[in-house]
Amino acid sequence: LYGRPVSVVTHVFSEGNSDAKRTVEMIARNLSAFTWVLACVLTMVVTPMAGSKLPVGSLVGSRKTALDGRAPLPHTTVLSGDRLRVKDGIAMVTLERGTRVILGRKSNATFWRDDGAVKVSLARGNLVLYHPQSGGEFHVEVRGVLVTPARNSKTLAELAMSGGVLAITVKVGTLSVKVSGTTKEVRHGSPLAVNLAAARTATADPSAKVNPKRIFSHKVILNSALLGMGAAAVSSIALS
């Protein structure tokens, strides 16, 4: 590819000044070498960027927490795939377009960005979420249970795991709770309890046709520690 321009230019100057001929050949060779160097540099720069983690949000406040195993600095950027562990403390993460999440004590969560949506996978503990009316697509996943705030609606809710049950309480707005092919709506004044073992079975094997009554219940009982965390977190979000 790079040899052809040289031969054409050489032909043009074949009957002319030999110095001009050599000058043109040298320029062509230098351009060819520069092109190869530029291609190598672009490959070195673009390849790491293609495999880099995408930003999800910012850890604006935390106490006794670890981000990917290390103590985070204030306003640390949270990247897709980062794991946040709260010991005997609390952590607040701001996500895009005003969405906020607060993790309570003894909570573990991983943050993801996929196809423009942000997802928090809660492995243990409890969280409070605030999703503004103008917020982007956002989900919380808990062992096969997918929790999603209603679109174009402000939502404030609590999720707490205890004794194999996920308790969901909505303070403002509406949440959609999906397990396999079954979806429930949760509103203020009507909390929902999800049996995580039954939900995991239904998600792993849809053909099992687990009775929704085994998965969902409106009888929610939370211990005082979880209720205390929820009240404090809701107050924190409401005042911020």
Side-chain angles (χ1 to χ4, degrees):
L1 176 62
Y2 298 108
R4 187 174 180 181
V6 176
S7 63
V8 173
V9 174
T10 302
H11 175 73
V12 172
F13 285 93
S14 60
E15 297 179 356
N17 190 314
S18 60
D19 290 339
K21 175 181 174 181
R22 286 195 296 271
T23 300
V24 172
E25 287 180 344
M26 184 177 296
I27 292 173
R29 289 190 182 116
N30 287 339
L31 286 175
S32 176
F34 174 75
T35 302
W36 278 109
V37 171
L38 181 61
C40 291
V41 170
L42 289 176
T43 301
M44 293 171 63
V45 172
V46 174
T47 301
M49 290 178 62
S52 62
K53 294 182 178 181
L54 296 174
V56 173
S58 176
L59 182 60
V60 295
S62 64
R63 181 170 59 87
K64 296 182 179 180
T65 63
L67 185 64
D68 271 358
R70 299 181 180 180
L73 296 173
H75 299 283
T76 296
T77 299
V78 178
L79 304 176
S80 181
D82 281 355
R83 293 169 293 177
L84 182 60
R85 179 186 178 190
V86 181
K87 301 173 185 176
D88 189 18
I90 195 169
M92 177 187 282
V93 179
T94 59
L95 307 173
E96 62 180 14
R97 296 168 65 177
T99 300
R100 279 169 278 180
V101 171
I102 291 183
L103 294 175
R105 60 190 299 269
K106 296 183 179 180
S107 297
N108 296 342
T110 305
F111 294 79
W112 304 97
R113 178 182 290 279
D114 185 23
D115 292 333
V118 173
K119 182 174 73 173
V120 178
S121 296
L122 183 65
R124 179 187 180 194
N126 45 82
L127 66 78
V128 171
L129 69 89
Y130 170 73
H131 186 263
Q133 186 172 355
S134 59
E137 187 175 355
F138 172 72
H139 311 280
V140 178
E141 188 273 332
V142 186
R143 300 183 187 178
V145 182
L146 192 65
V147 181
T148 305
R151 289 181 177 271
N152 303 319
S153 176
K154 181 171 70 173
T155 303
L156 181 61
E158 305 171 49
L159 282 69
M161 300 170 65
S162 179
V165 173
L166 173 65
I168 303 171
T169 305
V170 173
K171 302 295 183 181
V172 178
T174 305
L175 285 178
S176 168
V177 181
K178 183 177 181 180
V179 177
S180 189
T182 304
T183 302
K184 295 283 187 180
E185 281 195 350
V186 184
R187 302 176 184 272
H188 175 64
S190 182
L192 182 70
V194 182
N195 184 316
L196 293 174
R200 186 164 53 248
T201 299
T203 302
D205 184 11
S207 63
K209 297 182 180 180
V210 180
N211 190 331
K213 291 183 179 180
R214 290 187 52 202
I215 303 173
F216 303 103
S217 171
H218 289 283
K219 295 180 180 180
V220 179
I221 300 175
L222 295 178
N223 62 44
S224 58
L226 294 181
L227 289 173
M229 175 269 164
V234 169
S235 299
S236 176
I237 287 181
L239 294 174
S240 60

